[in-house]
Each structure stands twice: as C-alpha cells, then as structure tokens.
C-alpha cells in the first residue's frame, strides 16, 4: 500500500534516539506520532524539534494510549530487551538498537517471544539495528564477494575505533554497556557473521586488552583498547580491534581477504573528499563520531525497515543472528577479563 504511512513511536531520546527520530520524521512513508523518555531535558528537546509528536515520561503509557504500528527502541542498552518484548506483546513492529541485550539468555528470550507472536501476528517485523549492513560500501563489498569472483572469504579484519573521549563518559557507561566487545565491537562481529555466514561454527577465540587512557574502566572489567582472534571450523579466521582513544576521529575499517583477492572498506578514512594543504602539510580530516560516518546508512535503515513493515518484506537482518552477535561479544569479553582462550564444542558451547 504505497500511500499508507507507518505510525511510529521512538523510545528514548538520547543521542541515538534523536537521530532515529529525525530520520524517521523525514521518511516519506512514516508519521512519528509519539516519543517516550524519563529525561525531562529530552522531552523538552522533543517539544522543540518534533512537531506534532506527543511525548511521554512512561514507555508503557505510550504503548497503551497511542495508536501505533511500530516502535523504534533507542533507549539505554539495559532496557532494550524489556521495551522490545512489551512492543512484541502488542503485535507492533520493532526496530531495536544494538545490542538486543548484554545477556545472551535475555536476547534469546526476545527471539522466542517474537517467534510465538508470529503465530497470531504473521506479518510482524522485529529487527536489531546493525547500521553498517545498510552502508553502501559494505553492501557493495558483500555483493561482489557473493558473486564469487574473488573466491571464498578466508580472513576477516575489522575495527571500530572511536574518537578519544576525555569527559569520562565511557568509564560510567561501562557499568551497564556489557564491555567494549559487546558495545563497541558488536558491529564488527555482526559484519563477520554476515560475510562468513551466520551459521558458521566458531572453533575458538581469544581476546586481550588494555586500559591505556581510561584506567577507571578496569573497575568494570573493561578496557579502552582490545584485540581479538576468532577461529572458525573450516579454516576461516577473524581479527577484531576496538578502541576508544583515537586522536584524529572515528576510524572504522574492514578488510575481507578471499582466495582470489581482497576487498577493503574505508581503509583510508575520510570525512569527505576535501584535502587540506597548508603550512602543516597535506591532510584529510576524519569523521569525528560514528553517526557522521554512517549517517546515510541510518537513513537507508529507516527507509528499508518501513518498507518491510508496510509491504510485508523480510527484514535484511535475522533476529537470531543478532543473538549470536551478543553470544560472540560476551565470550570475547570473558576471554578479555580472564585471559583464557575459549574453545567451543560441536554444539557451539564453550568446553
């Protein structure tokens, strides 16, 4: 139904919620009708910036009073699963920011609830928002490999490296984030599962890290720099790097090495195509934060999620894959803290 508009609510109006609210407000087939947040300042922002959108302090009250079709869950990670479950119970479509949860069991409970809901709401769509899958460059790399011209992918190298934050935000955030691999590397883990295959079995993994500029992270068993090696059954390996101390800006890069060639995404990061030549030399600037690099991917995500809901199309990311991403991230965090190499059995369980 091309003229139908999806009635959407936004849960959470922090940095990510504001971005989703702005994107969905500009999506042609969407009407953003409501938003919820317990933060008074965020509700004031909504009143000033989201014309015609009713704001609520309480998420459940919003679900009860508004005539909704879909919810975008962009609240703090700790309530992702809880808010998603409540929307699923009402038969609503859900786009939940990553991760579904920092706990594998809770994340799986979301999948189980969704599968049960499909029995009475067969057209319901629930998806976790891994934004890089909607980035044009990553999609081109995936499509080229899928064509088979480069042979089989064998080595996957990827990093998420955030601009140095001197405010101490990450030290406080680490208390509920699940750790650097669950929070920061979860995008790289999702890409790894996408390029290697969501069902490919992991043989072993190991992680190491250091708190180089934020020593307070160690109180939460977290680090601001970490490296991981993941070995798959069948001879494929992945190397992941995550950091929270880049001086120049956001540096997110990926390389997929295949038997007949390799593809690289953003290996020479740039904010745009401007080059600066002055007394300090020649240089290009980098994006200063994640959204600046992946702004268009978020727009595409909003457009495609809307089409999935209104046109009953399958979501481009399975919910079970999002659970596996949490499983890998949690295992890497365990290895990071304990120093152990984790070996998996044929059932995918750590021995």
């Amino acid at each position: 139904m091309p003229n139908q508009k999806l009635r959407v609510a936004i849960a959470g109006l922090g940095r990510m919620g504001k971005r989703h609210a702005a994107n969905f407000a500009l999506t042609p087939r969407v009407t953003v009708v409501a938003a919820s947040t317990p933060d008074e300042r965020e509700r004031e922002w909504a009143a000033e910036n989201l014309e015609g959108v009713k704001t609520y302090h309480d998420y459940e009250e919003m679900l009860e009073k508004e005539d909704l079709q879909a919810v975008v869950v962009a609240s703090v990670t700790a309530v992702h699963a809880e808010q998603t479950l409540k929307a699923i119970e009402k038969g609503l479509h859900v786009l939940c920011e990553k991760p579904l949860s920092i706990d594998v069991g809770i994340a799986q409970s979301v999948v189980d609830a969704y599968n049960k809901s499909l029995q009475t709401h067969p057209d319901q769509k629930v998806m976790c928002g891994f934004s890089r899958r909607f980035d044009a460059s990553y999609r081109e790399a995936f499509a080229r490999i899928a064509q088979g011209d480069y042979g089989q992918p064998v080595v996957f190298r990827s990093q998420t490296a955030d601009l140095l934050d001197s405010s101490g935000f990450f030290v406080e955030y680490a208390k509920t984030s699940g750790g650097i691999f669950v929070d920061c590397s979860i995008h790289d883990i999702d890409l790894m599962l996408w390029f290697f295959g969501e069902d490919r079995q992991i043989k072993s993994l190991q992680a190491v890290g250091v708190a180089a500029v934020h020593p307070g992270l160690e109180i939460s068993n977290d680090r601001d720099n970490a490296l991981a090696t993941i070995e798959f059954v069948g001879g494929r390996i992945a190397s992941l790097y995550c950091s929270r101390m880049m001086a120049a800006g956001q540096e997110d890069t990926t390389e997929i090495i295949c038997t007949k060639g390799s593809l690289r995404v953003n290996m020479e990061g740039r904010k745009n195509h401007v080059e600066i030549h002055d007394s300090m030399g020649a240089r290009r600037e980098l994006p200063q934060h994640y959204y600046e690099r992946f702004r268009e991917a978020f727009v595409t995500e909003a457009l495609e999620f809307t089409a999935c809901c209104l046109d009953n199309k399958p979501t481009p990311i399975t919910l079970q894959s999002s659970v596996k991403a949490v499983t890998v991230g949690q295992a890497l965090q365990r290895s990071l803290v304990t120093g152990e190499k984790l070996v998996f059995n044929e059932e995918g369980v750590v021995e």
Side-chain angles (χ1 to χ4, degrees), residues 92-123:
L92 302 175
H93 306 296
V94 186
L95 171 61
C96 177
E97 255 308 317
K98 62 81 188 170
L100 280 176
S101 172
I102 62 173
D103 181 273
V104 175
I106 294 174
Q108 184 60 49
S109 73
V110 175
V111 177
D112 296 341
Y114 176 47
N115 289 335
K116 182 178 179 181
S117 181
L118 286 173
Q119 298 175 18
T120 52
H121 303 94
D123 297 337

Side-chain angles (χ1 to χ4, degrees), residues 148-197:
D149 295 340
Y150 300 93
Q152 293 296 316
V154 177
V155 179
F156 178 88
R157 297 194 302 159
S158 194
Q159 74 172 42
T160 296
D162 294 337
L163 176 68
L164 173 65
D165 171 57
S166 59
S167 69
F169 167 79
F170 279 118
V171 177
E172 186 65 26
Y173 181 61
K175 296 176 182 178
T176 58
S177 72
I180 193 168
F181 281 111
V182 175
D183 174 58
C184 193
S185 274
I186 200 77
H187 286 291
D188 305 288
I189 294 168
D190 176 66
L191 289 173
M192 176 188 72
L193 297 175
W194 189 31
F195 280 94
F196 274 177

Side-chain angles (χ1 to χ4, degrees), residues 215-262:
L217 287 169
E218 293 185 346
I219 298 173
S220 302
N221 282 327
D222 204 8
R223 309 291 187 268
D224 52 28
N225 284 265
L227 291 160
T229 301
I230 304 169
E231 181 184 13
F232 288 81
V233 173
R236 299 185 183 191
I237 54 175
S239 175
L240 309 181
Y241 169 56
C242 44
S243 175
R244 290 169 172 153
M245 67 169 208
M246 292 295 102
Q250 190 81 23
E251 299 186 54
D252 302 331
T253 67
T254 301
E255 180 178 22
I256 308 99
I257 302 172
C258 305
T259 54
K260 297 180 181 179
S262 66

Side-chain angles (χ1 to χ4, degrees), residues 181-312:
F181 281 111
V182 175
D183 174 58
C184 193
S185 274
I186 200 77
H187 286 291
D188 305 288
I189 294 168
D190 176 66
L191 289 173
M192 176 188 72
L193 297 175
W194 189 31
F195 280 94
F196 274 177
E198 296 174 1
D199 297 327
R200 189 163 295 276
Q201 186 176 337
I202 293 176
K203 184 177 180 180
S204 69
L205 58 78
Q206 188 166 18
V208 294
V210 60
V213 296
H214 298 108
L217 287 169
E218 293 185 346
I219 298 173
S220 302
N221 282 327
D222 204 8
R223 309 291 187 268
D224 52 28
N225 284 265
L227 291 160
T229 301
I230 304 169
E231 181 184 13
F232 288 81
V233 173
R236 299 185 183 191
I237 54 175
S239 175
L240 309 181
Y241 169 56
C242 44
S243 175
R244 290 169 172 153
M245 67 169 208
M246 292 295 102
Q250 190 81 23
E251 299 186 54
D252 302 331
T253 67
T254 301
E255 180 178 22
I256 308 99
I257 302 172
C258 305
T259 54
K260 297 180 181 179
S262 66
L263 289 94
R264 304 175 184 186
V265 180
N266 206 49
M267 295 298 281
E268 296 184 1
R270 58 176 66 238
K271 178 180 180 180
N272 50 39
H273 294 284
V274 174
E275 289 190 355
I276 301 168
H277 294 253
D278 56 19
S279 60
M280 297 180 65
R283 66 189 185 278
R284 62 181 182 275
E285 294 184 339
L286 296 179
Q288 295 301 289
H289 51 78
Y290 186 85
Y291 187 69
E292 191 173 10
R293 163 63 180 90
F294 292 103
R295 181 183 291 109
E296 294 304 317
F298 279 96
V299 172
T300 302
E301 180 183 63
L303 289 167
E304 293 191 6
F305 176 72
T306 300
C308 289
C309 298
L310 292 178
D311 303 332
N312 195 23

Side-chain angles (χ1 to χ4, degrees), residues 136-153:
S137 297
Y138 279 104
R139 284 188 163 184
E140 180 177 343
F142 183 85
R144 286 179 177 272
I145 291 174
Q147 289 172 1
D149 295 340
Y150 300 93
Q152 293 296 316

